Amino acid sequence: MNQRQENLFQQLANYRGELLHLLEHVSEEKANIIPAGFHNNIRWNMGHVYLDQYLWIEALTKEKDIDLEALKKWFGFGTSPKHFDDETPSFEELKKYLAQQPEQLKEQYGHRLSEEFPPIDMGMQTIEQVLLRTIFHEGMHLQAILTIYRCLNEATDRV
């Protein structure tokens, strides 16, 4: 792996660290609340961030490395916490998944970052390009989580 690719994984770990740091301040109870005006909660955003990286890699490589079907049911595009059931990963489980994912991706795909595949959405044709896109996506959901967190805390402060 070259220095640029090492930097990519370092950025992936750093941004994930920011998300996990924010989640340290969130209770499981608050993670499950959908504030007025929102379609999802913090827990849904966590699962969606985790799932998104694997979905894009799978779309590119056409390889199924993990079973994503259940995760798609709960955290895929267009889903909501209304789809959650007793088997949906808990807040604590999702934190563990998120913490482990950057290293798992590095181990699984670090040696394949430049491998070219037929282009998919936005012309992406390498795993490196997909990971760059998912870092951007994660930032959007980090902001969503932060906004929900602030709304929940403001509502609590007014009570």
Side-chain angles (χ1 to χ4, degrees):
M1 203 173 340
N2 64 37
Q3 187 61 48
R4 186 187 80 238
Q5 293 167 333
E6 285 288 345
N7 290 343
L8 172 64
F9 281 109
Q10 187 59 54
Q11 287 178 343
L12 187 63
N14 289 346
Y15 291 125
R16 184 58 55 84
E18 288 183 32
L19 174 58
L20 293 168
H21 178 71
L22 172 58
L23 294 173
E24 288 174 16
H25 304 283
V26 176
S27 68
E28 184 157 6
E29 178 186 358
K30 284 190 177 181
N32 288 306
I33 297 171
I34 303 172
F38 290 83
H39 298 289
N40 293 305
N41 56 25
I42 290 172
R43 185 172 160 208
W44 181 89
N45 278 276
M46 293 165 65
H48 183 73
V49 165
Y50 177 78
L51 174 65
D52 184 72
Q53 289 184 313
Y54 289 118
L55 286 178
W56 279 102
I57 291 170
E58 182 180 283
L60 179 70
T61 66
K62 309 298 186 248
E63 300 167 3
K64 292 188 179 282
D65 286 325
I66 64 170
D67 183 17
L68 301 176
E69 291 312 307
L71 293 174
K72 286 180 195 176
K73 176 177 84 169
W74 300 309
F75 306 114
F77 182 78
T79 62
S80 81
K82 296 172 188 154
H83 300 109
F84 288 2
D85 57 32
D86 292 340
E87 295 180 20
T88 306
S90 71
F91 175 68
E92 291 301 322
E93 288 174 310
L94 289 169
K95 284 198 302 190
K96 288 178 189 170
Y97 295 168
L98 289 166
Q100 296 167 352
Q101 191 177 31
E103 190 58 36
Q104 288 173 341
L105 290 171
K106 185 176 182 178
E107 288 175 19
Q108 254 181 304
Y109 301 106
H111 63 287
R112 299 178 66 193
L113 291 177
S114 299
E115 185 177 337
E116 292 195 12
F117 297 89
I120 57 172
D121 292 357
M122 296 178 270
M124 294 183 292
Q125 58 188 40
T126 67
I127 293 170
E128 182 176 22
Q129 291 168 340
V130 164
L131 291 177
L132 287 169
R133 183 248 173 239
T134 65
I135 288 172
F136 169 77
H137 178 260
E138 184 164 338
M140 292 177 9
H141 285 276
L142 174 61
Q143 182 60 53
I145 291 169
L146 184 58
T147 302
I148 292 170
Y149 175 75
R150 288 180 177 154
C151 286
L152 293 173
N153 286 334
E154 287 174 14
T156 303
D157 292 343
R158 282 183 262 167
V159 175

